[in-house]
Amino acid sequence: MTDRVADFHVDFTRFLAPDGTAVAPLPGFFDDPTLRRLYGHMVLARAFDTKAIALQRTGRLGTYAPSLGQEAVAVAVGAAMVDTDVLVPSFREHGAQLVRGVTLQELFLFWAGDERGNDFAGPRQDFPVCIPVGSHAPHAAGVALAFKLRREARAAVCVFGDGATSKGDVYEAMNLAGAWTLPLVFVVANNQWAISVRRAHQTAARTLAQKAVAAGFAGEQVDGNDVVALCHALRQALDRARAGGGPHLIEALTYRLGDHTTADDASRYRDDEEVGRHWKEDPIARLRAHLTARGAWTRDDEEALLTDCAARVEAAARDAQALAPEPAAALFDHLYATLPPALAGQRAALVQAEADHA
Amino acid sequence: MTDRVADFHVDFTRFLAPDGTAVAPLPGFFDDPTLRRLYGHMVLARAFDTKAIALQRTGRLGTYAPSLGQEAVAVAVGAAMVDTDVLVPSFREHGAQLVRGVTLQELFLFWAGDERGNDFAGPRQDFPVCIPVGSHAPHAAGVALAFKLRREARAAVCVFGDGATSKGDVYEAMNLAGAWTLPLVFVVANNQWAISVRRAHQTAARTLAQKAVAAGFAGEQVDGNDVVALCHALRQALDRARAGGGPHLIEALTYRLGDHTTADDASRYRDDEEVGRHWKEDPIARLRAHLTARGAWTRDDEEALLTDCAARVEAAARDAQALAPEPAAALFDHLYATLPPALAGQRAALVQAEADHA
Amino acid sequence: MPDITLVEAVNLALARAMAEDDRVIVFGEDVAVDGGVFRATDGLLARFGPDRVLDTPLSEGLFAGLAVGVAAQGFRPVAEFQFMGFMLPALDQVMNHAGRLRNRTRGRLTCPLVLRAPYGGGIHAPEHHSESFESLFAHVPGIRVVVPSSPARAYGLLLSAIRDPDPVVFLEPKRLYRARRQEVPDDGAGAPLDRCFVLRPGTDLTLVTWGAMVAETLDAAQALDREGVAAEVIDVATLKPLDTDTILASVAKTGRCVIVHEAALTAGFGAEVAARLADDGLFDLRAPVRRVAGWDTVMPYPRQERRYMPGTDRILAAARGLMEYA
Amino acid sequence: MPDITLVEAVNLALARAMAEDDRVIVFGEDVAVDGGVFRATDGLLARFGPDRVLDTPLSEGLFAGLAVGVAAQGFRPVAEFQFMGFMLPALDQVMNHAGRLRNRTRGRLTCPLVLRAPYGGGIHAPEHHSESFESLFAHVPGIRVVVPSSPARAYGLLLSAIRDPDPVVFLEPKRLYRARRQEVPDDGAGAPLDRCFVLRPGTDLTLVTWGAMVAETLDAAQALDREGVAAEVIDVATLKPLDTDTILASVAKTGRCVIVHEAALTAGFGAEVAARLADDGLFDLRAPVRRVAGWDTVMPYPRQERRYMPGTDRILAAARGLMEYA
Ligand SMILES: Cc1ncc(C[n+]2csc(CCOP(=O)(O)OP(=O)(O)O)c2C)c(N)n1
Ligand SMILES: Cc1ncc(C[n+]2csc(CCOP(=O)(O)OP(=O)(O)O)c2C)c(N)n1
Ligand SMILES: [Mg+2]
Ligand SMILES: [Mg+2]
């Protein structure tokens, strides 16, 4: 005797088609100024990418992970969150960091291999970039637990990639968030690739949204190149989470148009044709087409924006590079609240060695 | 615009109601001799439990994890597998080990804290008991990968508890099994408790069967105190796996009637009333009632079986205890295939210390 | 004031810390209703409620990472591992995050957490329930590693660990959990986290140890005393940062040193102590630095565990050997 | 026969091992189509096919456990970690399973696997891409820990590691991956896994090192030579089991020893070497045993990493210091 005891489903949502036409009426929130602002953020994120890659190529930045093609995901995350929420990002979310107030200069510092880039003046409780894939998901659960225990109407957002959904820590954090009804929104930036491993090889799951089924809460797919759909889904999920409704998973379907990082050569594992196809889904071109069709964007607007972004990025890069490195003692001065006496000798030796060298 | 892109469900299956009546016709395979055999295995497993607890209480066995109330799960696993399959158990599956040919004496040795209990003569490729919860799941994937790479029609079975479903390694192994279509059947012995943590606190997932949804394959719930339903589900899953159909997850709904281990006092965290309610689901009483109703089991059969089990268990316990401990050198002799010269001195010192003491 | 055991002292310190600072929360597996598998958290749920004493789902990696996140938000989580053998899945969080969060953000986010675990053998427990790998943690920058060996030190060191603004790995010798009772005033006084304790003064030989092996080492010192050898016994207590001064000062006096630990010899923490002596203490040494440690093999199943763990006899043999050197 | 780099030697050894034994399979992240992030597995997929070169889903803990399972079935898996910093989630499998499977089953199941990882700093990589914590593995019973430092040794040691019937952690100094070329005959000859290599004989001072720091240490030896100090340089190569004899014999001759490693000082593997000297080599020592190591702090982000890693100058200063002792 067999009975059906549970069923689940996954939905996919989009508002803007790749050519910019609205396939459904946009939620009221998305007026012209809002859309223009979102567009500006995406263009700035891309300008940062371009400059960062150029700096890396000339040895002035370390390995860099561009977000080319995925700008809508990060910008939507940044735009949907409120100041008191906390972002727990992976390493491809500078777009979200920028919207939340991390400065371009701080971002350049970080990517130039300077810890001060993480001491950003902006969202002071946000986590810095996390390099070990997925290992930040439990941190997001901890942040959300703090909100819940203090009965604050705040939420955490944890972003990671399709590859990260194979990590046990991501699953564990989702399971905890479900079990404890934590105010935590998980965002999978499914850009179809984890370095050279395509999404289909990462898991047999038809969608990544259904990873939430195992954790006992809902997941949904959203067009990850449609910043409107993303913002809308995120705002709903965040509102619900802040109100005590528990976690949610959003799978943003997007595509990594560039190399994995500046140390990668994507042509080793995927062909131009595939990339070309995905350029047609570009989130920036899509929103520009939509804005233009609405009469809310002109060629002049575009030129002004590009000029402004380039100038801001150039100035920030210059400022970041002008900053002298920290003194040698910095290697020890932030390790503990107070340097243990046992380490005083090492610190002195390092400072001395540096002085000898100078 | 929102579209449904995927849906999933979980079914629950039972053949025997708690009172032993068949709620659906039993599959042909379950003739009287088969059912009697299954019954005998369950009774033997319980007899082993009883003796092991007694030995532990008198200091002749280490901490012991009884399977009281869950005998159907382990016995069904053992009975549904064929010799060439490989069992990757947790620590409450001595019932399965017994059916597969591990001897009672070997089991007593293991639980008495003697590694030789793992060097069983029976199923030589089976894994031994695994203590770190969930950490054996990737091993099962490795075993299944070996079968797949060698194109052998064999399958692995990995058993773990409800608590283990919160471990990332279990999820990771399931995800891999799905991605690589491995011949691997996962069995969650959901006995409702992970020491003092009840199933509902472990996860918000309505069923544990739905953990498979995240891994992209099917999961089902089975009455875990109905050995017929379990055997049937397992045989189907194993046949499919051996034929290249990939992994499957079976959630066996059962109940731990005893303490977690002999080091535990379950009365600290659950009341007698709850336990009493679950005694009515006892898998042994259920099958006995069914057999009796079929006219395939008599009071004499019962007495003969109990006597036989007790005698076998007593004899094995005696034999195990009669076995002298290994010599001191055994601490080194199985560490590497050949003892590295660097360790020869330590081995000699240990042997010498032992001789001095004697 | 009744005498209490080491595990009761842990419980007392936890209760004290929770009473004095409501940012202190306790979580782990079975710490709430069950009061912990060793009862270290017994009574805390009843007293402080379910918001401050939480049973997590079964995953050590998870709750270590959870501790990092909630600590960054200003809480002071104390997470219990049931046994040290189950800490390994948490090592990624300890080394890649807990020890780095402050440094990585230049102090913007901090990580005041405590990870508690019973360690060591001798209680006839199953595989993985008897490990000692404190040296792994001692290698991790940015954390503290603390090992008490008496009820009083357990109380004082745990209080200090919880109050410390940085991550602490706190390893409790489970063989000593109920081995002896001691009067421990619940006065809230912490013990220093940067100092070794001289448990017994002596002039002929220094015995350096910590945690689980303190009992055997004190026994050995007593036996040596009867042989006319005055052994100084040092309980390292805080392995990281290591108070080398106390050890060097002792060996400067005695010229001989035996280091005792239960963990496997190779790359055990005894190596670090010996290395400090081989450098800064070399010319004080009259005799080789000996380590009495677990063998370089896997901790056996309980039937053989006594053969693995160093006993008083091995400490004595080493000590007597060193007394041969003039 | 063209000269090849260290990473090419790894590739050559992998190809050789796969050709000679079809039980050898290679897996990890991006090892197949991409040929590994450092190209160590380049060409293997094309040559040996998708059954023997497999991209796993993204989880190091998973593929370490997978290796244990498939090794127990008689395969000889070689798993690649992209960077050592990502090995931590695998430590549970290494310590609780790989190192124990043979012992636990009294030889019934065995675990002939190799876990490869690039380690060390100096390539200006992001956080977690520059770690050295070999001492953690050196503490784990039942495994071998091997660190090559030249193309020829990488080839020979890796072949031996793959052929070894027990688990081996194989750590490749990524700073040396392409640092120099060497003629490496593809003759299938393994190098011994239980011996240190004396890279340069000397009578005044012993420099003990391994892997990434061999280059700086050899440079220092050369500089010392110009100062009239004959330094013997030992490449430990196999950290576990440790060939103490070669080190002791050298120090018996020189009386002075500097140990050099990139990992943090405290509880680094240098401590073990120093401890052996403080015991069995004590009376050969004319001078303190010095360790030149990474500081006891987190490996900084790339802008500062040079300040963390010991350089030739620090080795020279230590060596010169020891020459002051008669
Ligand atoms: C634990 C861990 N393993 C390996 C790596 C190396 N690595 C960096 S990014 C990456 C792929 C990540 O893929 P995905 O999660 O899809 O994110 P994406 O890079 O596509 O944004 C890998 C393997 C890492 N950073 N952390
Ligand atoms: C990794 C790990 N953490 C903790 C433990 C201690 N422990 C042993 S069994 C158990 C609960 C397991 O619950 P479940 O998976 O439901 O299996 P059951 O005991 O109910 O059969 C715990 C926490 C362990 N063995 N391994
Ligand atoms: Mg991706
Ligand atoms: Mg259970």
Side-chain angles (χ1 to χ4, degrees):
Chain A
M1 196 191 64
T2 296
D3 295 320
R4 178 92 6 130
V5 288
D7 45 57
F8 316 95
H9 63 266
V10 172
D11 289 345
F12 169 87
T13 300
R14 114 177 337 159
F15 285 96
L16 298 183
D19 67 2
T21 54
V23 294
L26 267 47
F29 169 76
F30 294 97
D31 55 13
D32 287 356
T34 300
L35 290 173
R36 286 168 59 113
R37 209 159 38 236
L38 290 171
Y39 182 72
H41 287 314
M42 291 200 286
V43 170
L44 181 64
R46 189 166 290 183
F48 178 80
D49 255 12
T50 310
K51 182 67 187 175
I53 292 173
L55 288 173
Q56 194 282 334
R57 295 275 179 250
T58 53
R60 284 170 293 168
L61 218 67
T63 306
Y64 177 72
S67 74
L68 187 69
Q70 306 175 218
E71 292 87 351
V73 182
V75 164
V77 164
M81 293 173 71
V82 300
D83 284 358
T84 49
D85 294 335
V86 163
L87 175 65
V88 186
S90 175
F91 45 81
R92 222 181 277 285
E93 284 79 52
H94 58 270
Q97 293 184 296
L98 282 170
V99 177
R100 285 183 58 72
V102 179
T103 66
L104 289 162
Q105 186 188 345
E106 286 159 346
L107 289 179
F108 277 123
L109 262 186
F110 170 79
W111 288 103
D114 190 320
E115 286 85 350
R116 289 174 295 180
N118 288 329
D119 186 18
F120 35 74
R124 291 290 286 173
Q125 297 184 22
D126 279 12
F127 268 61
V129 158
C130 178
I131 302 283
V133 168
S135 62
H136 58 315
H139 307 164
V143 169
L145 173 63
F147 298 161
K148 182 175 177 177
L149 293 179
R150 288 193 299 245
R151 289 163 177 74
E152 296 170 340
R154 303 166 68 186
V157 175
C158 183
V159 189
F160 44 81
D162 44 310
T165 64
S166 296
K167 282 285 298 303
D169 35 17
V170 169
Y171 162 74
E172 290 173 347
M174 293 209 296
N175 188 55
L176 180 77
W180 289 3
T181 327
L182 298 179
L184 175 47
V185 177
F186 296 97
V187 178
V188 190
N190 175 3
N191 64 6
Q192 310 300 337
W193 290 92
I195 310 187
S196 73
V197 179
R198 54 173 85 241
R199 151 67 184 83
H201 291 174
Q202 205 65 240
T203 180
R206 252 179 300 164
T207 69
L208 300 180
Q210 77 203 55
K211 301 280 175 181
V213 171
F217 56 87
E220 62 176 313
Q221 274 190 339
V222 174
D223 186 328
N225 293 341
D226 174 356
V227 74
V228 171
L230 285 164
C231 270
H232 182 63
L234 275 156
R235 283 164 58 94
Q236 286 192 321
L238 283 165
D239 285 345
R240 201 165 45 230
R242 287 189 213 99
H248 188 70
L249 173 65
I250 294 173
E251 176 188 4
L253 287 165
T254 180
Y255 191 83
R256 194 191 81 212
L257 290 170
D259 291 333
H260 169 71
T261 65
T262 50
D264 176 53
D265 172 7
S267 72
R268 288 177 68 92
Y269 51 80
R270 65 183 191 185
D271 55 35
D272 288 352
E273 191 276 323
E274 175 182 321
V275 181
R277 230 176 332 115
H278 283 94
W279 265 108
K280 306 208 178 86
E281 308 253 324
D282 174 21
I284 293 187
R286 184 183 308 200
L287 185 55
R288 185 171 55 235
H290 180 75
L291 278 169
T292 308
R294 275 167 88 119
W297 197 250
T298 65
R299 198 170 294 242
D300 285 353
D301 288 334
E302 181 74 9
E303 254 166 51
L305 176 65
L306 291 179
T307 311
D308 177 57
C309 287
R312 287 170 62 194
V313 163
E314 285 299 328
R318 236 181 356 254
D319 290 350
Q321 284 173 65
L323 201 71
E326 293 182 285
L331 263 66
F332 282 103
D333 289 347
H334 307 279
L335 191 61
Y336 297 92
T338 315
L339 191 72
L343 291 182
Q346 289 195 28
R347 181 180 184 278
L350 169 62
V351 171
Q352 186 59 48
E354 194 80 6
D356 291 350
H357 241 75
Chain B
M1 197 192 63
T2 295
D3 295 320
R4 178 93 6 131
V5 287
D7 45 57
F8 315 95
H9 63 266
V10 172
D11 289 344
F12 168 86
T13 301
R14 117 180 331 162
F15 284 96
L16 298 184
D19 66 2
T21 55
V23 295
L26 268 49
F29 170 75
F30 294 98
D31 54 14
D32 286 355
T34 301
L35 290 174
R36 286 168 59 114
R37 211 161 34 238
L38 291 171
Y39 182 71
H41 287 314
M42 289 199 289
V43 170
L44 181 64
R46 189 166 290 184
F48 178 80
D49 256 13
T50 310
K51 182 68 187 173
I53 292 172
L55 288 174
Q56 195 283 334
R57 296 275 179 252
T58 54
R60 283 169 295 168
L61 218 66
T63 307
Y64 177 72
S67 75
L68 187 70
Q70 306 175 218
E71 291 88 351
V73 182
V75 164
V77 164
M81 293 173 72
V82 300
D83 284 357
T84 49
D85 293 335
V86 163
L87 175 66
V88 186
S90 176
F91 45 80
R92 222 181 278 283
E93 284 80 51
H94 58 270
Q97 294 184 297
L98 283 170
V99 177
R100 285 183 58 71
V102 179
T103 67
L104 289 162
Q105 186 188 346
E106 286 158 347
L107 289 179
F108 277 122
L109 262 186
F110 171 79
W111 288 104
D114 190 319
E115 286 85 350
R116 288 173 296 181
N118 289 330
D119 187 16
F120 36 74
R124 292 290 285 173
Q125 296 183 24
D126 279 11
F127 269 61
V129 158
C130 179
I131 302 285
V133 168
S135 62
H136 59 315
H139 306 163
V143 170
L145 173 62
F147 298 160
K148 182 176 176 176
L149 293 179
R150 288 194 299 245
R151 288 161 179 73
E152 296 170 340
R154 304 167 67 186
V157 175
C158 183
V159 188
F160 44 81
D162 44 309
T165 64
S166 296
K167 282 284 300 304
D169 34 18
V170 169
Y171 163 73
E172 291 173 346
M174 293 209 295
N175 188 55
L176 180 77
W180 288 5
T181 329
L182 297 179
L184 175 47
V185 177
F186 297 97
V187 178
V188 189
N190 175 2
N191 64 5
Q192 310 300 335
W193 290 92
I195 308 186
S196 73
V197 179
R198 53 173 84 243
R199 152 66 184 84
H201 291 174
Q202 204 65 243
T203 180
R206 252 180 298 163
T207 70
L208 300 180
Q210 77 202 55
K211 301 278 174 180
V213 171
F217 57 88
E220 62 176 313
Q221 274 190 339
V222 174
D223 185 328
N225 294 342
D226 174 356
V227 73
V228 171
L230 286 164
C231 269
H232 182 64
L234 276 156
R235 285 164 56 96
Q236 286 193 321
L238 283 165
D239 285 345
R240 202 166 43 231
R242 288 190 213 100
H248 189 69
L249 173 65
I250 293 173
E251 176 187 4
L253 287 166
T254 180
Y255 191 83
R256 195 192 79 214
L257 291 170
D259 290 333
H260 169 71
T261 65
T262 50
D264 177 52
D265 172 8
S267 72
R268 287 178 68 93
Y269 50 80
R270 65 183 191 186
D271 55 34
D272 287 352
E273 191 276 321
E274 176 181 320
V275 180
R277 227 173 337 112
H278 282 94
W279 265 108
K280 305 207 178 87
E281 309 253 326
D282 176 19
I284 292 187
R286 184 183 307 200
L287 185 55
R288 186 172 51 236
H290 180 74
L291 277 169
T292 307
R294 274 168 88 119
W297 197 250
T298 65
R299 198 170 294 243
D300 285 353
D301 289 335
E302 181 75 8
E303 254 167 51
L305 176 66
L306 291 178
T307 311
D308 177 56
C309 287
R312 287 169 63 193
V313 162
E314 286 300 330
R318 237 182 355 255
D319 290 351
Q321 283 174 64
L323 200 71
E326 292 183 285
L331 264 69
F332 282 103
D333 289 347
H334 307 279
L335 191 60
Y336 297 92
T338 315
L339 191 73
L343 292 181
Q346 290 195 28
R347 182 180 183 278
L350 168 61
V351 171
Q352 186 59 50
E354 194 79 7
D356 291 350
H357 243 73
Chain C
M1 197 160 34
D3 289 359
I4 59 174
T5 62
L6 199 156
V7 70
E8 286 164 353
V10 167
N11 184 267
L12 198 66
L14 288 171
R16 178 93 194 189
M18 294 184 79
E20 79 183 17
D21 183 349
D22 61 16
R23 297 170 306 173
V24 178
I25 58 176
V26 165
F27 52 72
E29 294 154 15
D30 305 292
V31 296
V33 186
D34 201 32
V37 288
F38 286 101
R39 310 288 173 248
T41 57
D42 201 20
L44 299 180
L45 175 67
R47 179 153 168 214
F48 298 103
D51 268 12
R52 298 187 61 199
V53 185
L54 302 98
D55 281 333
T56 65
L58 203 170
S59 167
E60 289 76 11
L62 168 70
F63 69 67
L66 183 74
V68 172
V70 80
Q73 275 288 315
F75 280 86
R76 303 202 154 225
V78 183
E80 172 176 297
F81 294 75
Q82 296 195 338
F83 292 89
M84 190 185 201
F86 308 134
M87 294 186 92
L88 291 168
L91 212 73
D92 186 33
Q93 288 294 338
V94 173
M95 191 159 188
N96 278 340
H97 293 299
R100 294 177 187 229
L101 192 58
R102 175 189 292 279
N103 185 67
R104 176 190 286 152
T105 62
R106 289 302 185 244
R108 181 171 64 81
L109 297 177
T110 65
C111 204
L113 58 81
V114 177
L115 306 182
R116 295 180 42 243
Y119 87 97
I123 64 157
H124 295 283
E127 192 182 355
H128 307 285
H129 288 64
S130 302
E131 346 294 302
S132 311
F133 46 81
E134 62 273 17
S135 70
L136 269 56
F137 292 108
H139 192 49
V140 178
I143 69 167
R144 287 181 164 78
V145 182
V146 178
V147 190
S149 68
S150 72
R153 278 190 297 282
Y155 176 85
L157 291 169
L158 182 53
L159 275 179
S160 296
I162 296 172
R163 292 170 188 158
D164 193 87
D166 291 304
V168 179
V169 170
F170 195 84
L171 303 172
E172 301 161 9
K174 71 173 89 73
R175 188 161 77 247
L176 305 186
Y177 261 165
R178 301 188 168 88
R180 83 183 176 93
R181 299 184 165 273
Q182 188 179 23
E183 189 178 308
V184 180
D186 186 13
D187 55 6
L193 292 188
D194 54 5
R195 212 176 312 148
C196 301
F197 295 85
V198 178
L199 299 188
R200 184 195 159 103
T203 49
D204 299 329
L205 173 80
T206 303
L207 299 174
V208 177
T209 189
W210 53 88
M213 295 305 302
V214 164
E216 286 80 357
T217 304
L218 283 171
D219 285 350
Q222 217 153 19
L224 288 168
D225 197 50
R226 289 191 293 271
E227 300 174 14
V229 174
E232 179 146 309
V233 175
I234 295 179
D235 175 2
V236 175
T238 296
L239 273 52
K240 186 184 189 82
L242 177 64
D243 165 20
T244 322
D245 294 347
T246 300
I247 298 170
L248 287 172
S250 175
V251 176
K253 189 169 60 176
T254 63
R256 300 179 188 84
C257 185
V258 176
I259 303 154
V260 185
H261 59 72
E262 189 174 309
L265 179 83
T266 294
F269 193 71
E272 184 59 35
V273 175
R276 305 279 176 126
L277 291 171
D279 188 342
D280 297 317
L282 183 75
F283 296 110
D284 294 323
L285 288 169
R286 293 201 251 170
V289 178
R290 288 277 145 79
R291 289 177 289 164
V292 176
W295 308 109
D296 278 324
T297 187
V298 173
M299 167 61 97
Y301 282 15
R303 203 171 183 193
Q304 308 265 25
E305 70 175 331
R306 280 278 153 206
R307 283 173 164 163
Y308 179 86
M309 302 190 320
T312 306
D313 50 342
R314 285 183 59 205
I315 305 171
L316 274 176
R320 290 183 190 129
L322 294 199
M323 294 313 297
E324 310 273 297
Y325 294 86
Chain D
M1 199 159 32
D3 288 358
I4 59 173
T5 63
L6 199 156
V7 69
E8 287 163 352
V10 166
N11 184 267
L12 198 65
L14 288 170
R16 178 93 194 188
M18 295 184 78
E20 75 183 18
D21 183 349
D22 60 16
R23 297 170 305 174
V24 178
I25 59 176
V26 165
F27 51 72
E29 294 154 14
D30 306 291
V31 296
V33 186
D34 202 31
V37 288
F38 286 101
R39 309 288 174 250
T41 57
D42 201 19
L44 299 180
L45 175 66
R47 183 159 165 207
F48 298 102
D51 268 11
R52 299 190 58 199
V53 185
L54 303 98
D55 281 333
T56 64
L58 203 170
S59 167
E60 289 75 12
L62 169 70
F63 69 67
L66 183 74
V68 171
V70 79
Q73 275 288 315
F75 280 86
R76 305 204 150 222
V78 182
E80 173 176 298
F81 294 76
Q82 296 195 338
F83 292 88
M84 189 183 200
F86 308 135
M87 294 187 92
L88 291 169
L91 213 73
D92 186 33
Q93 288 293 339
V94 173
M95 192 159 187
N96 278 339
H97 293 298
R100 295 176 185 230
L101 192 58
R102 175 190 291 279
N103 185 68
R104 175 190 288 152
T105 61
R106 290 302 186 241
R108 183 171 62 82
L109 296 177
T110 65
C111 204
L113 57 80
V114 176
L115 306 181
R116 295 179 41 243
Y119 87 96
I123 65 157
H124 295 283
E127 192 182 355
H128 307 285
H129 288 64
S130 302
E131 347 294 301
S132 311
F133 46 81
E134 61 275 16
S135 70
L136 270 56
F137 292 107
H139 191 50
V140 177
I143 69 167
R144 287 181 164 79
V145 182
V146 179
V147 190
S149 69
S150 72
R153 278 190 296 283
Y155 176 85
L157 291 169
L158 182 52
L159 275 180
S160 296
I162 297 172
R163 293 171 188 156
D164 193 86
D166 291 305
V168 179
V169 170
F170 195 85
L171 303 172
E172 300 162 8
K174 70 174 89 73
R175 190 160 78 246
L176 305 186
Y177 261 166
R178 299 187 169 87
R180 83 183 175 93
R181 297 182 167 272
Q182 189 179 23
E183 189 178 309
V184 180
D186 186 12
D187 56 6
L193 293 187
D194 54 5
R195 212 176 313 148
C196 301
F197 296 85
V198 178
L199 300 188
R200 187 196 156 105
T203 49
D204 299 330
L205 173 80
T206 303
L207 299 174
V208 177
T209 189
W210 53 88
M213 295 304 300
V214 164
E216 286 79 358
T217 305
L218 284 170
D219 285 351
Q222 216 153 21
L224 289 167
D225 197 51
R226 288 191 293 270
E227 300 174 13
V229 174
E232 181 147 308
V233 175
I234 294 178
D235 175 2
V236 176
T238 296
L239 273 52
K240 186 185 188 81
L242 177 63
D243 165 20
T244 323
D245 293 347
T246 299
I247 298 170
L248 287 172
S250 176
V251 176
K253 190 169 60 176
T254 63
R256 301 179 187 86
C257 185
V258 176
I259 303 154
V260 184
H261 59 72
E262 190 174 309
L265 180 84
T266 294
F269 193 72
E272 184 59 36
V273 175
R276 305 280 177 126
L277 291 171
D279 188 342
D280 297 317
L282 184 75
F283 297 111
D284 293 323
L285 288 169
R286 293 202 247 171
V289 178
R290 288 276 144 80
R291 288 177 291 163
V292 175
W295 308 108
D296 279 324
T297 187
V298 174
M299 168 59 99
Y301 282 14
R303 202 172 185 191
Q304 308 264 27
E305 70 175 331
R306 280 278 153 206
R307 281 173 166 162
Y308 179 86
M309 303 192 315
T312 305
D313 48 342
R314 285 183 58 205
I315 305 171
L316 274 175
R320 289 184 190 127
L322 294 199
M323 294 313 298
E324 311 272 299
Y325 295 86

